[in-house]
Amino acid sequence: VQAHYRTHPADLRTLLDAPQVKLYAKFQGGLPVAVVLTSDEGGYDEIAARDIYLGHRRPRGHLIPQSLAFHAGIPDAARYRYRRIMRIAVHPDLQGNGIGTSMLDHISSAARRDGIDILGCSFGATEALINFWRQNEFEVVRLGLKREQSSGMYSIIMAKPLNNAGHDLVATAGTRLKRFKNDLMTILPTTKLSWFEGVIPTTVTSPNISVMDEMDWQDVTSFAQGLRDFEVNQLAISKWSQLMASDLDYPLLQLLRKKVSLAELISTRMFTGRAEAVETIRKLLRRHLHQ
């Protein structure tokens, strides 16, 4: 209960029954003083990983690989093996004595022996929590765009690579994250980005709006062929729209070139709502990408 404000009795069923779940405990004088609950995720084959990336498949209980694939736009993210830390708690009287860190070191070693690529966690971001995980060699790999209704905080995913494959994925996620921040600075007012400062410690430069690279093409094609969100692919779609010939300069393309939001698109009364707007853009992309 101390590990998470949303803990409820049904969690006991997960503790007892879920085969991918592991429970670690630290004892002093025969009494438990700290606990960590983990869940193994990912490890999908190429076809399943592609379906997860495109949003055609959303397996329950695989939060990190699904988010890195579908939201962060990493096509093979679900092929890696993860051990997600679902809960961690140290007795309040003993916090600050390194017990949590010693348990994470033990869990990291065990995960390496089990062939796990990445140790990860997801939580409502606060400065104290981010600092704790950073001190334990975790890096930010994914940021949420919206505040959680229950906590009022932005969600965040952090990861610690455990082998060469894990290092490669975390590096890719870091590149994606920096691009995502650049994209947001191009699309959203600066006032909406204040919480990103300090979370991604990098010098931000304005992206080249007129040039599409490999990641842009991945975003455009995955949005067209799958169910990925418009918001996380918006700048790539805008870049693509600027490459279209002038004889295709009809109203929707003009709006996409201006990087307008879905709400602004809907406000033009060209569409009845979000679903119609997104599907119309998908059809536009599919038609021209096919050529």
Side-chain angles (χ1 to χ4, degrees), residues 13 24 42 58-59 61 70 77 91-92 101 108 114 123 131-132 136 139 142 153 155 164 203 259:
R13 181 175 60 189
Y24 300 83
R58 300 188 180 187
F70 183 72
H91 192 287
T101 294
S108 297
D114 292 341
F123 54 91
N131 288 338
F132 168 77
N136 286 282
E139 302 175 40
R142 170 69 186 150
M153 296 180 289
S155 61
N164 290 336
T203 300
K259 303 180 292 296

Side-chain angles (χ1 to χ4, degrees), residues 5-81:
Y5 64 96
R6 292 180 63 182
T7 299
H8 48 77
D11 289 339
L12 181 60
R13 181 175 60 189
T14 300
L15 283 170
L16 297 175
D17 292 347
Q20 76 277 16
V21 166
K22 294 178 174 61
L23 180 65
Y24 300 83
K26 175 84 169 179
F27 290 84
Q28 287 185 2
L31 297 174
V33 296
V35 291
V36 178
L37 181 68
T38 69
S39 178
D40 288 353
E41 302 179 348
Y44 287 92
D45 61 31
E46 183 177 358
I47 295 175
R50 179 74 178 176
D51 285 342
I52 293 170
Y53 167 60
L54 294 175
H56 296 313
R57 182 174 178 179
R58 300 188 180 187
R60 296 185 61 182
H62 291 260
L63 186 154
I64 294 180
Q66 184 169 280
S67 183
L68 291 181
F70 183 72
H71 296 295
I74 304 175
D76 60 347
R79 301 192 68 181
Y80 293 80
R81 296 184 62 194

Side-chain angles (χ1 to χ4, degrees), residues 83-101:
R83 184 157 292 170
R84 176 165 62 95
I85 297 169
M86 300 172 65
R87 303 283 190 269
I88 180 170
V90 177
H91 192 287
D93 292 344
L94 298 175
Q95 291 176 3
N97 293 319
I99 294 175
T101 294

Side-chain angles (χ1 to χ4, degrees), residues 112 117-119 137 139 159-163 165-168 170:
R112 286 191 181 94
D117 301 308
I118 290 171
L119 195 64
E137 302 178 327
E139 302 175 40
K160 176 182 179 179
L162 301 178
N163 52 29
H167 278 285
D168 290 343
V170 169

Side-chain angles (χ1 to χ4, degrees), residues 234 255 258-269:
Q234 184 175 352
L255 291 170
K258 294 178 180 178
K259 303 180 292 296
V260 300
S261 66
L262 272 184
E264 290 172 308
L265 275 177
I266 296 168
S267 70
T268 64
R269 299 188 179 180

